[in-house]
Amino acid sequence: MFAGLYFNKNGNFAAVFRIAHMNRIFKEYRTWALITGAASGMGREYARRLALMGYNLVLVDINAKGLGETESIVKDAVKTAGKASEAFKVLQVVQDLSQVDAADKVYEQTEAAGCEVEVLVNNAGIMYCQGIAETSERMLKLIMMVHMNTPMMLCRKYVVGMKERGNGYILNISSLAECMNWPGIGMYGATKRFVKDYSRELRIECQKTGVSVTNAYFGAVDTPLIPLKDSLRKLARGLAVMITTQKAVDKALKATFRRRKGTMPGLLNHIFKPICIILPDCLLGWIYRKAKPYLMKV
């Protein structure tokens, strides 16, 4: 019972505590965790962590090859950890989450496979920096479907069964950008603000049911979504402007299983947030005009 109080040989208390915590709540592969955007990055890390906690996995992504790689990596991790690897199951769902019926198709496959989804992680996302008028109509539709429509519909599909069973965890990914009405990232921020708002409403509606809804408000996370050179990534991590995928996932899952309403890792994010809100439109307009030549084309 005191496993979490000891340091390992490298003095890494946090790692020992996480392992002890995972062993204490090990689910023995009786129920399922569904992760969208599971083919790479944070989605792959969510899959690995949840598998080591004893959840079977539903891995959802448009990238079939990436899903296969995630399954292989996760199965190796389960085997290496000495878990009941013969009981561990994975369902791959290759799905374009920008389609209007994406949630229906995902749900149909999990129902057909008999997956009792206890954890839903709406992780899939798209990052871009460009003015609305310069962004293609296709991209605008894509980001609204992937960030807003499909995650909300997945919540609607799976929360019913969670309530009936009296237990469930939903993790939705918002962003520090939800408070930034800034040209260039304004559309991205607006979709993440929608995630924040519907998650709060759903959380309130789920009170006293055994189902919790948690929002993660990330700033910069070191994933392929953010196109930076390796040297700039290293500098950003050193300045604590950017956090690692492992740290982001660790914070998000810890908040989820403690049934907190939200988490925003990084001290600088808490300092920066009030400043984001009060910047005047004239200053933002000037910054946008100066930055516009360097924004990505989408």
Side-chain angles (χ1 to χ4, degrees), residues 102-178:
D104 293 330
K105 290 182 177 179
V106 172
Y107 184 73
E108 287 167 5
Q109 292 190 54
T110 58
E111 285 293 288
C115 304
E116 186 177 289
V117 174
E118 184 177 291
V119 181
L120 170 61
V121 181
N122 279 312
N123 166 73
I126 302 167
M127 179 64 187
Y128 77 99
C129 297
Q130 185 58 275
I132 292 174
E134 288 75 38
T135 304
S136 68
E137 293 182 12
R138 175 186 172 277
M139 178 57 75
L140 290 175
K141 293 175 182 176
L142 188 71
I143 194 169
M144 287 191 289
M145 294 300 294
V146 172
H147 286 184
M148 298 165 64
N149 183 77
T150 299
M152 184 173 65
M153 290 298 112
L154 287 172
C155 286
R156 172 63 182 83
K157 292 287 186 184
Y158 289 104
V159 76
V160 175
M162 292 178 182
K163 283 184 175 181
E164 289 174 352
R165 295 187 294 269
N167 190 45
Y169 305 88
I170 296 173
L171 172 60
N172 289 330
I173 310 303
S174 184
S175 171
L176 176 63
E178 63 85 14

Side-chain angles (χ1 to χ4, degrees), residues 47-79:
R48 189 182 70 85
R49 295 288 185 91
L50 288 164
L52 292 175
M53 291 173 63
Y55 285 100
N56 295 311
L57 301 179
V58 181
L59 305 176
V60 184
D61 204 290
I62 195 173
N63 182 353
K65 181 181 178 181
L67 286 182
E69 292 171 353
T70 296
E71 178 173 349
S72 178
I73 289 169
V74 169
K75 284 185 173 179
D76 285 345
V78 169
K79 185 176 181 180

Side-chain angles (χ1 to χ4, degrees), residues 24 46 55 62 65 116 122 124 150 166 201 207 209 227 232 254 265 276 294:
R24 187 169 66 252
Y46 282 120
Y55 285 100
I62 195 173
K65 181 181 178 181
E116 186 177 289
N122 279 312
T150 299
E201 179 180 344
Q207 287 178 1
T209 67
L232 292 178
K254 185 180 294 184
C276 296
Y294 305 101

Side-chain angles (χ1 to χ4, degrees), residues 128-131 134 183-185 288 291-298:
Y128 77 99
C129 297
Q130 185 58 275
E134 288 75 38
I185 62 169
Y288 176 65
K292 189 174 180 180
Y294 305 101
L295 298 178
M296 64 177 64
K297 304 293 183 182
V298 291

Side-chain angles (χ1 to χ4, degrees), residues 171 214-218 248 251-253 255 260-265 270:
L171 172 60
T214 301
N215 251 330
Y217 302 93
F218 295 126
K251 296 290 186 180
L253 288 181
R260 293 179 175 172
K261 65 180 180 181
T263 181
M264 186 167 66
H270 289 273

